[in-house]
Amino acid sequence: MTTGQTSAGPGKAGRPSVLETLRGIPGPIWLVLVGMLVNRLGNFLQIYLVLYLTAKGFSATEAGFALGAYGVGSVAGVLIGGSASDRIGYAWTIVGSMALAGLGTLSLPHLDSLPLVITVAAVIGLLAQMYRPASSALLVERTPESHHVMVFAVYRMAFNLGTTVGPLLGALLISHSYNLIFYLEAGAQLGFAAFALVLARSGGMAKQAEPHADAPSRSYTAVLRDTRYVLFLLALFLNAVVYIQHTSALPLQIKADGHSVAFYSSLLSLNAVMVICLELLFTKYVQHLPGKVAVALGVGLVGVGMNLYAAGPAMAMYVVATVVWTAGEMIGTPTASAWPGKVAPEHLRGRYIAAAAFPMQIGYAVGPVLGVAAWQLSHASVWWLSGLLTVGAVAAALAGMSERRADPGTGTAPAGEKPAGRGGPVAADTP
């Protein structure tokens, strides 16, 4: 099956079912999906770094600095990964990112100097996140546009499986030795690099896009000139500020209402189980919606779910609220994940995808500070603030994801846009 064609047979309006999507995923993309799953299963460093360093004799403050450095490196790594993807190719970016991150992870348990630990943690965070724009760009490049939303749902399922199971595996390893988590994470990173190397060296790799003659820039400034895309980024930022309240304001609210930590953990488990088990089924139907409708609906439900936490202390209401915002997450996220690759010019695809991750990371950093401050002012105010921010996010998504039309004078789309009626850039020679 070539990715340059979309069969008329699958699903309604050419959209595939879950099974049709799985059967139609090319071998190279399975390498990416399996490699990413393996990498997420071994993603222990960020989760257990503070515990490891304090067990090694560093203070909690020193360990916090190291974890903060890892986080700063992670944000920078996404942006650098976007640039690298557009310059050296998607598969080679994954190879370099994962191979170097693996070597850095292997070195960390042998370091005793705090400045070295902080520096290496920052470098590992940078390298370990560079692969993300490249892996998303590969999904866009090597699958038909009609499959993108469903394929990103499959990608998220693999990501969430690894994220859910990984910490449990890490706890088992730590019961024997802390060093095992570093060795296994490094092995997972090097394994992903090996999968990507097979892809990079395969004869069927699509040719990297050359700069367009009329392209004003190959930098992030070109992304920022796409005003509708900037509105989409604003929607992602506002939604991230709201979404992250489930890890910042929510545990405070649960404790204030007299519920246990176990109940909070059960709500997080409910979210994880729903996403893993139901998101593909939701996406089977959501993929038929216009992109802006799917994202606006998803963002809106996340805000409504958070707002419902203001309704009262009953455990049943907490469950209902969690189900509502989890449904929003499942409805909006696959389409939002596919959107950057859909609207990006081919020579800027990596940067567009990386630019979408950046406001979310900023939102995840700002959200807890804003949410806790609002909660301390008034317990209900954080949830009403979430509702207000959600109104802005929905409006930004609807405006930023509006239909993009060609310039009637030239027949081409504005900078950063595709002509109406054309599919996304797809490698026609993909098997």
Side-chain angles (χ1 to χ4, degrees):
M1 170 178 180
T2 62
T3 63
Q5 300 172 346
T6 302
S7 170
K12 180 181 176 182
R15 300 295 179 178
S17 67
V18 176
L19 288 178
E20 287 165 342
T21 298
L22 295 175
R23 290 171 182 164
I25 292 176
I29 295 305
W30 277 116
L31 284 176
V32 175
L33 293 173
V34 173
M36 190 273 297
L37 173 61
V38 170
N39 181 50
R40 295 306 299 177
L41 284 171
N43 186 39
F44 309 126
L45 183 58
Q46 187 173 16
I47 300 170
Y48 294 112
L49 182 60
V50 169
L51 291 177
Y52 164 74
L53 291 176
T54 52
K56 196 171 181 178
F58 293 100
S59 70
T61 301
E62 291 170 334
F65 276 122
L67 183 60
Y70 182 95
V72 171
S74 298
V75 174
V78 171
L79 295 177
I80 294 172
S83 297
S85 298
D86 291 333
R87 291 184 180 277
I88 67 174
Y90 310 137
W92 284 112
T93 298
I94 297 174
V95 172
S97 167
M98 289 292 98
L100 293 174
L103 295 177
T105 302
L106 282 175
S107 71
L108 195 56
H110 304 289
L111 302 178
D112 296 315
S113 165
L114 180 63
L116 272 178
V117 169
I118 292 175
T119 301
V120 171
V123 172
I124 294 172
L126 186 152
L127 293 169
Q129 295 301 313
M130 282 179 60
Y131 84 93
R132 294 184 69 170
S135 61
S136 295
L138 274 172
L139 297 187
V140 171
E141 182 182 78
R142 306 298 289 270
T143 57
E145 184 178 350
S146 61
H147 288 221
H148 284 174
V149 174
M150 186 65 78
V151 166
F152 271 97
V154 175
Y155 179 85
R156 274 177 47 80
M157 184 180 72
F159 187 93
N160 287 320
L161 272 173
T163 302
T164 302
V165 176
L168 302 176
L169 179 58
L172 178 63
L173 294 173
I174 287 173
S175 65
H176 296 281
S177 169
Y178 266 109
N179 286 351
L180 289 178
I181 64 173
F182 296 99
Y183 299 147
L184 189 58
E185 177 159 355
Q189 290 164 335
L190 294 172
F192 193 7
F195 285 169
L197 183 61
V198 172
L199 181 57
R201 295 174 63 88
S202 67
M205 278 297 296
K207 185 178 179 180
Q208 282 303 113
E210 297 297 329
H212 291 189
D214 60 348
S217 172
R218 286 176 62 89
S219 71
Y220 282 105
T221 58
V223 180
L224 297 178
R225 290 192 187 103
D226 186 344
T227 54
R228 273 185 281 186
Y229 193 68
V230 171
L231 285 174
F232 170 70
L233 299 183
L234 175 62
L236 295 183
F237 167 75
L238 294 175
N239 178 245
V241 172
V242 174
Y243 178 82
I244 201 63
Q245 299 310 320
H246 80 279
T247 65
S248 54
L250 180 58
L252 297 175
Q253 184 75 38
I254 287 175
K255 182 179 179 181
D257 285 341
H259 302 303
S260 66
V261 174
F263 177 61
Y264 173 60
S265 300
S266 69
L267 292 178
L268 297 184
S269 298
L270 174 63
N271 166 258
V273 169
M274 285 183 64
V275 170
I276 292 170
C277 296
L278 298 177
E279 185 166 287
L280 281 178
L281 296 177
F282 271 55
T283 306
K284 177 182 177 181
Y285 301 100
V286 170
Q287 65 181 329
H288 300 297
L289 298 174
K292 66 178 181 180
V293 174
V295 174
L297 178 60
V299 167
L301 286 174
V302 169
V304 169
M306 294 296 170
N307 198 240
L308 285 174
Y309 286 131
M315 295 177 72
M317 182 54 69
Y318 276 102
V319 172
V320 169
T322 302
V323 168
V324 170
W325 67 256
T326 300
E329 178 184 0
M330 293 188 291
I331 289 170
T333 306
T335 301
S337 300
W339 187 256
K342 175 183 174 66
V343 300
E346 189 175 359
H347 67 293
L348 291 171
R349 188 184 294 142
R351 288 179 176 86
Y352 264 65
I353 292 171
F358 184 72
M360 294 173 65
Q361 293 300 321
I362 298 299
Y364 293 151
V366 171
V369 177
L370 185 63
V372 171
W375 188 85
Q376 289 176 332
L377 186 66
S378 166
H379 291 186
S381 63
V382 63
W383 311 119
W384 294 113
L385 176 62
S386 295
L388 182 62
L389 294 177
T390 296
V391 172
V394 169
L398 291 173
M401 300 176 70
S402 58
E403 187 68 26
R404 301 184 172 218
R405 302 185 182 279
D407 184 337
T410 64
T412 60
E417 302 181 10
K418 295 185 179 65
R422 282 184 59 187
V426 184
D429 60 345
T430 302

